Amino acid sequence: MTGPKGGYYKAELGEPHKFDPTFRGPVHNRGCTDVLCCVIFVIVILGYIVLGTVAWMHGDARKVVYPTDSYGQFCGQQGTPNANKAILFYFNILQCANPTVLINLQCPTTQLCVSKCPDRFATYIDMQLNYRRNKSYWDYYKQFCKPSFDNPDKSVSLVLQDEDCPSMIVPSRPFLQRCFPDFITRNGTLTVANKTSFKDGHGKTRSVVDLRDAANGITSLLDAKEVGVKIFEDYASSWFWILIGLVISMLVSLIFILLLRFTAGVLFWMVIFGVIVAVGYGIWHCYWEYSSLKGKPSSDITISDIGFQTDFRVYLQLTQTWLIFMISLAVIEAIIILVLIFLRNRVRIAIALLKEGSKAIGCLMSTLFYPIITFLLLALCIAYWAVTAVFLASSGDAVYKVMSTRPDCKYTNLTCDPKTFSQSNVTKLCPASQCTFAFYGGESLYHRYIFVLQLCNLLVFLWLVNFTIALGQCTLAGAFASYYWALRKPEDIPPSPLASSFGRALRYHTGSLAFGALILSIVQFIRIILEYLDHKLKGAHNAFTRFLLCCLKCCFWCLEHFIKFMNRNAYIMISIYGKNFCASARDAFFLLMRNVMRVAVLDKVTDFLLFLGKLLISGSVGVLAFFFFTRQIPVIQEEVPSLNYYWVPLLTVIFGSYMIAHGFFNVYAMCVDTLFLCFCEDLERNDGSPSKPYYMPPGLHRILNKTDQGGKKYAVS
C-alpha cells in the first residue's frame, strides 16, 4: 500500500520493491543463480548421453525393423541366409487363435522366413500324393518347410510331429512383413481365394471364418494397412497444397495479432454481448419449453422418480428438467452481468494490456519466430528419447519359451533351448509344444534394470522438455520486459533484446530454469505413473482403491497446473531481476496475490480471446481447405489432386493451423503476462512524479485514472 508521499509500508503479502532510481528494466549486471542445480543438470545430461550410448551398444534396431522367426533370426537381414526371405510365415495360423497369444504376444506355432507368401490352398497330404507324378508340387511346397528338410517321402505323421512342414498353406498376402490370409468379402460373404472352406491337413474341412478368428485383430490391421497406404498416397499428392494452407494460417495468425492492437476491445465486448444474448435466449427457450410441458400429463414426474435412462430424450419431456436448465442459465447470466459491472475497470485494464501486447510484438517481430527454436529443441529431445527407448527395449539376447496349444501343459512360458528342445521331456509330456522365440532379454545387471533405465529415460526426457519450454519463456519475458521498461518507446529499447535475453537466460540462469523444470517434471512423472496404475487396475473391483487413485490423479493434475502457472511467472521475475528460482517464485507469488483480482480477470480475458483467435484461424482456414479439396472452388477446381480421402489433408491443415496459431499466440500470451507483471511492479515502484515516472503506456494511465503529480488526483485501482 502507498504512503502519503509515495513511500511504501510493509504489506501483508510480501514487501513491495523499494524505489530504485537506477532501475531501467532487466538487470544486466547479474550473477549465476542456483549453481548447484545447474551442475546437477549438466551431470544428468552427460549421464543421459552415456545411457543413450550404452543402449546403442547393447540394443539392436534390427529387432524392431525386421520380424524374427522361431529361431531368433531376422527375416530380410542382408548378409544372412534370410537376406532374400523378408516375410514371416506361420506354419499353422489357426493356432494363433489360442488364448496364449494374448499372454505371450507370440503365436504357438513354428515361424519361418520366406521369400513370398503362398498363393493357393494346399495340404501336405495332397502334395505327397501328387508329387510323384509332378515334381513341381514338392518344389513349390518345400519353400514353406524348414530349410534343412528335403524328404517328401517321409511319412505325414512324422513330418507334422517334427514340424518339418506346415500341414496346410492358404492364399496369403504380406502385411508388416508377415503372411496373413487374403480375406475378401464378396456379396457379404467372407472368402479366401473365392472359397469359403478349406482342408486343414488333418483330415478336416474348416471354414474360412476359423482363419478370421485366428487372425482376430490382425484383420483390422490389414484394413489399417490399406487405409495407411491410401493416406500416404494422399499426403504424397497433396503435400504442396497442405503447405500452402499452413502458410496461409501463419500469415492470418500474424495479421490477427497485429489487428488485436486495434480491435481487442471491440472484439471482446462483441463476444461478451454475444454470450449474454445467447444465454438470454437459452433462458427464454427453457421457459417456453417449461410452459409447453406444464399442462401435459406425466410431465410433472421428477427426475429421481424415473431414475437413470440411456435415452436422454426422456428427460426432455419433464418440466423439472427445463426448470433446472432455466435456473442454471439464469444464475450464469447473473454472474456474467455482475462480474462485468463490478470488474469493468479491471476488464478495461486487461484489454489495454492486450493492445499493448500487440504494440510490443510490433516492435519485437523477431519474438514471433522464436517458437521455431523451441520446436527444433523439442524435436531433438523427443527424437533422442524415442531412439534411446527403442534401443533399450531391443537390448539383450533372444529368449525362447515353451509355447503349447494345450491348456494343461505345465511347461508353458518356461524358458527353453531350441537346440536341445526336441530331446527334452517337454515334447513327451506336451506333444504339441514348441520352443519358440519370445523376446530379447538377459540375466546381466544391465538387463535386470532395463525397466528402471526406461523410467530414468522418461524422467530426464520430461526434464529436458520442460527446461526447453522454460528457456523459451524466460527468453521472451526478458525481451518484452526490455520493451516495457523503456521510458521512450521504441527509442530506449536496447538493441537485439531477444538475443540478449536468450544469452542472459542461458549464461546466468540455467540452474534456476532447470530447478523449476525439475519440480514440474517430477509431478508429471508421478502423473504418468498414476495413469499407468489406473490402466493396470481398470479391472479391479476394490472401490476404495479406485477412489483413492482418482483423488490422487485429480490432486496431481491441479498441482501440475499450479506449478506451471507459478513457474511461468517466476521465469518472468528471473528475466527482470536475475534472482534465483525460489526468490523469484516468492516475489511473483506475493506480487500476484497483491493484484489477485487483476490476475483472475486478465488471465481469463487473455485465454478467452486467444482461444477464440485459434478457433477462428483454424476454422476459417479449414473451411477454405474444405471447399478446395471437395472441388467447390470453380476457379482452381482443376488443380485439386485426386484423393482417396479428402479428410486427410483437410484435418492436417486444420490441426496444423491450430498448432501454428497456438505457437504465435503463446508468444502473445507470454507478452501479456510479462507486461502485466511489469505493470504491477510499475505501480508499486513509481507514483507518476517526475522523479518516479510511470513506464506504463498512456492508455493505462487514463484507465487507472492516474496523472503526474502536477495533476489533480491519484487513485490506486
Side-chain angles (χ1 to χ4, degrees):
M1 64 184 67
T2 56
K5 295 184 180 180
Y8 288 90
Y9 300 119
K10 187 171 182 179
E12 290 183 22
L13 297 172
E15 188 174 356
H17 290 287
K18 300 293 178 62
F19 175 72
D20 181 5
T22 64
F23 184 78
R24 290 294 182 270
V27 177
H28 294 279
N29 297 323
R30 56 180 76 193
C32 296
T33 56
D34 295 305
V35 178
L36 178 61
C37 192
C38 179
V39 173
I40 295 174
F41 184 59
V42 173
I43 293 174
V44 168
I45 291 177
L46 295 176
Y48 197 36
I49 295 173
V50 172
L51 174 62
T53 304
V54 172
W56 179 78
M57 293 172 60
H58 287 82
D60 191 345
R62 297 177 303 171
K63 300 170 185 177
V64 180
V65 176
Y66 301 104
T68 309
D69 63 12
S70 296
Y71 310 103
Q73 299 174 341
F74 300 117
C75 298
Q77 174 65 24
Q78 297 298 320
T80 67
N82 292 330
N84 298 322
K85 300 177 180 180
I87 308 171
L88 191 67
F89 170 73
Y90 298 94
F91 263 36
N92 187 359
I93 198 171
L94 292 173
Q95 299 293 344
C96 298
N98 193 284
T100 58
V101 176
L102 299 176
I103 300 173
N104 303 305
L105 300 179
Q106 285 287 332
C107 187
T109 186
T110 300
Q111 300 167 35
L112 201 69
C113 297
V114 296
S115 57
K116 62 180 180 179
C117 295
D119 59 5
R120 66 195 72 173
F121 281 109
T123 65
Y124 189 82
I125 297 174
D126 293 338
M127 182 281 302
Q128 198 172 54
L129 292 174
N130 295 321
Y131 96 97
R132 290 183 177 86
R133 58 185 176 82
N134 190 343
K135 299 295 183 181
S136 63
Y137 280 92
W138 172 243
D139 292 336
Y140 180 80
Y141 204 93
K142 72 176 181 180
Q143 62 184 322
F144 305 107
C145 299
K146 292 179 179 178
S148 59
F149 181 74
D150 192 12
N151 183 14
D153 293 319
K154 187 176 179 178
S155 67
V156 175
S157 59
L158 290 177
V159 169
L160 300 183
Q161 178 181 327
D162 297 337
E163 293 274 351
D164 293 321
C165 289
S167 62
M168 62 166 186
I169 56 176
V170 299
S172 306
R173 56 177 171 171
F175 168 64
L176 295 177
Q177 295 180 271
R178 290 163 175 81
C179 292
F180 293 117
D182 190 7
F183 295 108
I184 299 176
T185 302
R186 298 184 182 277
N187 299 323
T189 303
L190 186 68
T191 66
V192 175
N194 294 325
K195 292 186 177 182
T196 58
S197 61
F198 64 98
K199 296 179 181 179
D200 66 355
H202 294 279
K204 295 181 180 179
T205 301
R206 307 282 291 266
S207 169
V208 297
V209 176
D210 295 334
L211 288 175
R212 183 195 62 188
D213 294 339
N216 186 27
I218 296 174
T219 53
S220 60
L221 291 176
L222 290 169
D223 296 336
K225 165 74 172 181
E226 294 180 0
V227 173
V229 170
K230 292 180 179 179
I231 289 176
F232 180 79
E233 293 173 351
D234 289 343
Y235 277 126
S237 59
S238 63
W239 67 269
F240 178 73
W241 298 104
I242 292 175
L243 188 61
I244 291 178
L246 297 181
V247 171
I248 291 174
S249 65
M250 183 179 68
L251 295 175
V252 173
S253 299
L254 183 60
I255 294 172
F256 187 87
I257 288 178
L258 296 178
L259 287 179
L260 274 178
R261 176 176 177 179
F262 308 102
T263 62
V266 176
L267 180 62
F268 174 78
W269 291 116
M270 285 179 60
V271 170
I272 288 297
F273 179 75
V275 170
I276 292 175
V277 171
V279 175
Y281 170 78
I283 295 172
W284 175 84
H285 182 77
C286 292
Y287 177 76
W288 182 81
E289 292 283 356
Y290 174 79
S291 301
S292 301
L293 292 172
K294 197 169 184 180
K296 293 183 179 180
S298 72
S299 64
D300 56 349
I301 301 175
T302 62
I303 295 176
S304 59
D305 290 337
I306 64 173
F308 177 75
Q309 300 291 328
T310 55
D311 186 1
F312 290 97
R313 290 176 295 182
V314 174
Y315 299 108
L316 300 181
Q317 306 302 319
L318 305 178
T319 55
Q320 188 184 51
T321 302
W322 293 105
L323 182 62
I324 293 173
F325 286 165
M326 182 175 63
I327 294 174
S328 301
L329 290 176
V331 171
I332 294 174
E333 184 89 329
I335 291 174
I336 293 174
I337 293 174
L338 290 175
V339 166
L340 289 176
I341 291 174
F342 290 102
L343 300 180
R344 61 187 182 278
N345 288 330
R346 291 183 172 85
V347 170
R348 292 172 63 201
I349 295 173
I351 295 174
L353 281 172
L354 288 172
K355 293 180 180 179
E356 191 64 21
S358 295
K359 293 180 183 178
I361 290 177
C363 293
L364 307 174
M365 290 293 291
S366 59
T367 56
L368 288 175
F369 301 98
Y370 183 84
I372 297 176
I373 299 176
T374 300
F375 171 79
L376 294 176
L377 292 176
L378 290 177
L380 179 63
C381 294
I382 293 171
Y384 189 86
W385 166 78
V387 171
T388 303
V390 167
F391 276 102
L392 283 173
S394 61
S395 296
D397 302 320
V399 176
Y400 301 88
K401 287 193 174 184
V402 177
M403 303 285 181
S404 177
T405 57
R406 289 189 172 186
D408 58 344
C409 180
K410 63 180 181 179
Y411 295 100
T412 301
N413 286 333
L414 295 180
T415 56
C416 57
D417 186 351
K419 297 178 181 178
T420 60
F421 184 73
S422 58
Q423 288 82 34
S424 65
N425 292 330
V426 179
T427 55
K428 299 176 182 178
L429 299 175
C430 302
S433 61
Q434 294 285 325
C435 182
T436 60
F437 167 78
F439 56 86
Y440 290 97
E443 297 299 327
S444 68
L445 184 66
Y446 170 77
H447 294 105
R448 286 202 299 266
Y449 287 95
I450 286 291
F451 182 71
V452 176
L453 293 177
Q454 287 282 24
L455 292 179
C456 293
N457 182 32
L458 175 62
L459 179 59
V460 179
F461 164 71
L462 293 174
W463 195 1
L464 289 175
V465 166
N466 287 316
F467 174 80
T468 301
I469 295 173
L471 178 62
Q473 292 176 342
C474 190
T475 299
L476 292 172
F480 292 125
S482 298
Y483 166 86
Y484 184 92
W485 295 108
L487 193 58
R488 296 174 301 164
K489 303 175 179 62
E491 292 84 359
D492 291 343
I493 299 176
S496 304
L498 184 66
S500 300
S501 179
F502 180 80
R504 288 196 303 269
L506 206 56
R507 179 180 177 184
Y508 297 109
H509 307 301
T510 296
S512 297
L513 301 180
F515 189 17
L518 177 61
I519 297 173
L520 180 59
S521 300
I522 292 174
V523 174
Q524 291 175 336
F525 183 76
I526 295 174
R527 284 197 63 203
I528 293 174
I529 299 297
L530 291 175
E531 290 292 342
Y532 174 78
L533 293 176
D534 185 41
H535 177 74
K536 288 295 183 182
L537 297 175
K538 277 192 180 295
H541 299 288
N542 191 326
F544 177 75
T545 302
R546 295 200 307 272
F547 172 75
L548 180 62
L549 197 58
C550 182
C551 291
L552 287 173
K553 287 170 59 179
C554 180
C555 291
F556 276 95
W557 181 88
C558 296
L559 180 60
E560 179 187 353
H561 283 73
F562 175 75
I563 291 176
K564 281 183 177 180
F565 176 76
M566 287 309 306
N567 280 6
R568 185 183 182 94
N569 290 283
Y571 299 147
I572 295 174
M573 300 300 282
I574 289 173
S575 68
I576 299 175
Y577 297 107
K579 296 182 181 180
N580 61 42
F581 177 80
C582 292
S584 298
R586 182 197 61 216
D587 292 344
F589 177 77
F590 287 129
L591 181 62
L592 293 173
M593 287 299 99
R594 293 194 295 270
N595 299 272
V596 63
M597 292 305 299
R598 290 187 185 125
V599 172
V601 174
L602 175 69
D603 189 54
K604 295 308 173 186
V605 169
T606 305
D607 289 347
F608 184 74
L609 274 180
L610 297 186
F611 177 71
L612 182 70
K614 295 173 190 177
L615 291 183
L616 180 64
I617 291 170
S618 57
S620 57
V621 175
V623 169
L624 180 63
F626 172 79
F627 284 121
F628 174 77
F629 288 115
T630 55
R631 300 177 183 271
Q632 297 186 42
I633 303 179
V635 180
I636 52 176
Q637 185 172 318
E638 300 299 326
E639 301 294 332
V640 181
S642 179
L643 301 171
N644 297 298
Y645 311 109
Y646 74 87
W647 51 263
V648 170
L650 176 61
L651 292 181
T652 304
V653 169
I654 293 175
F655 179 75
S657 300
Y658 185 86
M659 293 308 296
I660 289 174
H662 181 72
F664 275 102
F665 288 0
N666 264 359
V667 175
Y668 190 88
M670 197 68 204
C671 175
V672 173
D673 288 348
T674 303
L675 296 181
F676 174 71
L677 281 187
C678 293
F679 159 72
C680 294
E681 284 283 282
D682 195 8
L683 282 180
E684 294 188 349
R685 282 180 171 276
N686 307 309
D687 60 5
S689 64
S691 60
K692 294 186 289 184
Y694 289 122
Y695 287 81
M696 67 184 71
L700 283 177
H701 266 274
R702 292 190 296 270
I703 291 173
L704 289 173
N705 203 22
K706 288 179 174 289
T707 62
D708 289 339
Q709 281 212 351
K712 296 182 180 179
K713 52 185 175 181
Y714 303 90
V716 179
S717 173

